[in-house]
Amino acid sequence: MKQMHSNFLNGAIMPTLLRFSVPMLLALILQALYGAVDLWAVGKFGTTADISAVATGSQTMQILTGLITGLSTGATVLLGIYIGRKKPDDAAKVVGSSIFVFTILGVILTIATVLAAPWLARVTNAPDEAFAKTVSYIRICGAGSLFIVAYNLISAIFRGLGDSKSPLYFVIIACVINIIGDIILTKYIPMGAAGTAIATVMAQAVSVILSIILIRMKGLPFAFTKAHLHPHRKISDSILMLGTPIALQSMCNEISYLVILGFVNALGEVASAGVGIAEKLAMFILLIPTAYMQSIAAFVAQNCGAGLTERAKKSMWLGMMLSTFLGSIFAYFSIFHGTRLSMLFIRTDETAVLQAAAEFLKATSIECFILSAAYCLVGYFNGTKHTNFVMLQSMLSIFVVKLPYAWFASSHATPSIFQIGMAGAFAAAFELLACLWYYNRLKKDDEAPTLQCITPS
């Protein structure tokens, strides 16, 4: 067993944050390649219907992933708090309780997704030509939900411990397996969208197996016994209390993308395929604010747990500086070179699809750039247990700004794909302003976020 300590609590913040956030960003990029490679494979070796099916189906699966990631953040924050407070027994109870809670969640999601696949395809207005393929993609990926849950929980535990490098190692191997599987199951065994779904599930299974092997080899920085491996009531409640608002926020955000995709699907197969490609590209840009949101949440939780409030605040602002710098670079290439980027996923002779993808990508790039700043504030609030506010401001941005504007833009006689995409940019601006207002309110009222952790019995 290793000594329980964390570099988050000592030394210069910027180098520490970089060492933690860069591996996390790389791991998220590789994880996102699962869906992107699926789209690339069907774009090169499949049909337009396959492209539409993967675009719609993978966006549907993002709802499930958003739910899991949000809930697992509760485990990250609580574990980080106890690491900061140097309470190894409580940290071990967080791990044990999380295993039980997330195993139950995985079983429920597996059954629900497999059974609800046709309904989900209908809700997203999957084009008739791609409906059966969309159902097949969702059903196969849904059958692997337990692997998605397990991977995200293990990654959350590593983040809470201050370790972002370990998840990167096994994701690299899993990503290679997914690429090989996609090529085999679309080019040499022409299974189309279903083949890419099978390859994705296989890759996720490998990620989980490698994660478990790595944990057994490296061990945890505290004693973990069978006595810890049961659902401690107060710990489980605390994980759910912290994670549920974040999960609802993530899930609603993904649902909003799905609703917008439904608006676009109503415009036809070409628009559906083009926006699907743009969403995949934008997803990579969004990984930058996502990585810093998760990094800051873990960093802040440990520092607030140790009583280092000012250090926690400083890490948030430094993280925002790094996030917006990287976000501006990616936004530039996406806005001005969107057509070239879209060519990575589709044949160059698909002119109409490329044009639709580039048009939508311009708008979503603006959204992602704004979120590069907003998500750092969100990560800070998550790490300080202000998750209810995170949920509230997100719900308002989605249901008051994003979806109404997307509906308005899509209801024109000649809808503009760019204007539909700008719904996300306006919602992101609202989110940033709301977060800045809340942070300043706390500062003005001298109510710096504090952590009142539940002490398990």
Side-chain angles (χ1 to χ4, degrees):
M1 183 183 71
K2 305 176 207 171
Q3 184 180 357
M4 186 173 173
H5 70 282
S6 174
N7 293 329
F8 284 179
L9 307 179
N10 304 291
I13 295 175
M14 181 72 82
T16 303
L17 196 57
L18 275 172
R19 284 194 297 269
F20 185 73
S21 62
V22 171
M24 178 176 291
L25 176 59
L26 292 175
L28 288 173
I29 289 173
L30 291 174
Q31 191 178 4
L33 277 175
Y34 292 161
V37 171
D38 288 355
L39 196 62
W40 170 83
V42 293
K44 296 295 182 181
F45 310 119
T47 65
T48 302
D50 285 315
I51 298 173
S52 178
V54 172
T56 303
S58 60
Q59 190 64 54
T60 303
M61 292 306 299
Q62 286 288 14
I63 297 176
L64 183 148
T65 303
L67 171 66
I68 298 165
T69 302
L71 284 173
S72 67
T73 301
T76 297
V77 171
L78 197 60
L79 183 58
I81 291 169
Y82 289 132
I83 292 290
R85 290 188 170 185
K86 293 182 171 54
K87 292 187 175 182
D89 189 60
D90 290 345
K93 288 179 180 179
V94 172
V95 174
S97 298
S98 297
I99 291 172
F100 268 87
V101 169
F102 282 84
T103 298
I104 294 171
L105 175 65
V107 172
I108 292 173
L109 288 176
T110 299
I111 296 171
T113 308
V114 170
L115 294 178
W119 177 79
L120 290 170
R122 260 187 242 102
V123 167
T124 56
N125 285 333
D128 292 339
E129 304 90 337
F131 185 84
K133 291 177 180 289
T134 304
V135 171
S136 178
Y137 185 91
I138 295 172
R139 185 163 280 160
I140 294 170
C141 289
S145 296
L146 200 57
F147 296 123
I148 300 174
V149 171
Y151 170 77
N152 279 279
L153 174 59
I154 293 170
S155 296
I157 291 172
F158 278 122
R159 289 196 301 270
L161 295 173
D163 179 4
S164 61
K165 292 181 180 178
S166 295
L168 176 60
Y169 300 144
F170 46 77
V171 170
I172 290 173
I173 298 173
C175 190
V176 172
I177 292 173
N178 185 60
I179 292 171
I180 295 171
D182 274 342
I183 294 173
I184 292 174
L185 296 177
T186 56
K187 183 178 181 180
Y188 298 105
I189 305 176
M191 297 180 65
T196 63
I198 293 171
T200 297
V201 172
M202 289 174 56
Q204 290 166 342
V206 170
S207 293
V208 172
I209 293 171
L210 291 176
S211 302
I212 294 172
I213 293 174
L214 188 63
I215 289 175
R216 291 181 66 87
M217 289 176 58
K218 294 182 64 174
L220 295 171
F222 43 76
F224 184 77
T225 65
K226 290 183 179 179
H228 297 114
L229 195 58
H230 70 84
H232 303 271
R233 178 64 182 274
K234 290 185 177 180
I235 288 286
S236 299
D237 289 348
S238 189
I239 291 171
L240 292 174
M241 180 186 71
L242 288 170
T244 299
I246 305 173
L248 290 174
Q249 177 255 337
S250 298
M251 188 172 65
C252 288
N253 196 43
E254 295 299 340
I255 289 174
S256 72
Y257 284 117
L258 205 57
V259 172
I260 291 175
L261 187 59
F263 292 151
V264 173
N265 282 345
L267 304 181
E269 189 179 42
V270 170
S272 173
V275 170
I277 290 171
E279 287 284 12
K280 282 289 177 254
L281 289 166
M283 181 177 64
F284 281 96
I285 309 172
L286 189 58
L287 292 179
I288 295 170
T290 300
Y292 278 95
M293 176 180 68
Q294 295 179 0
S295 298
I296 289 169
F299 198 100
V300 166
Q302 285 198 21
N303 278 275
C304 284
L308 304 174
T309 305
E310 290 305 315
R311 182 178 173 85
K313 291 179 181 179
K314 188 175 180 181
S315 70
M316 186 269 292
W317 291 114
L318 289 173
M320 187 183 296
M321 182 177 69
L322 292 170
S323 179
T324 52
F325 172 73
L326 292 173
S328 64
I329 296 173
F330 280 86
Y332 168 79
F333 285 103
S334 300
I335 292 171
F336 297 103
H337 302 282
T339 301
R340 288 182 179 275
L341 291 174
S342 301
M343 288 179 184
L344 294 171
F345 295 98
I346 194 171
R347 295 183 299 270
T348 56
D349 59 342
E350 294 280 1
T351 308
V353 176
L354 286 171
Q355 183 178 353
E359 189 176 349
F360 196 80
L361 185 60
K362 288 180 182 179
T364 51
S365 296
I366 298 171
E367 174 190 4
C368 292
F369 173 70
I370 298 172
L371 290 178
S372 295
Y375 272 19
C376 291
L377 285 157
V378 168
Y380 177 80
F381 294 137
N382 286 340
T384 54
K385 295 178 64 175
H386 284 68
T387 56
N388 285 329
F389 169 75
V390 170
M391 178 182 67
L392 175 61
Q393 59 84 24
S394 180
M395 295 293 188
L396 290 173
S397 70
I398 290 169
F399 295 108
V400 176
V401 181
K402 184 186 245 181
L403 293 183
Y405 186 84
W407 172 82
F408 172 76
S410 64
S411 63
H412 287 182
T414 54
S416 165
I417 293 179
F418 173 78
Q419 286 299 324
I420 295 175
M422 281 299 293
F426 292 135
F430 175 90
E431 190 166 351
L432 176 59
L433 292 173
C435 287
L436 288 171
W437 168 81
Y438 189 66
Y439 181 86
N440 286 328
R441 178 191 168 193
L442 291 172
K443 185 178 179 181
K444 182 178 179 181
D445 296 341
D446 196 26
E447 295 175 5
T450 57
L451 294 167
Q452 301 295 328
C453 298
I454 297 175
T455 303
S457 56

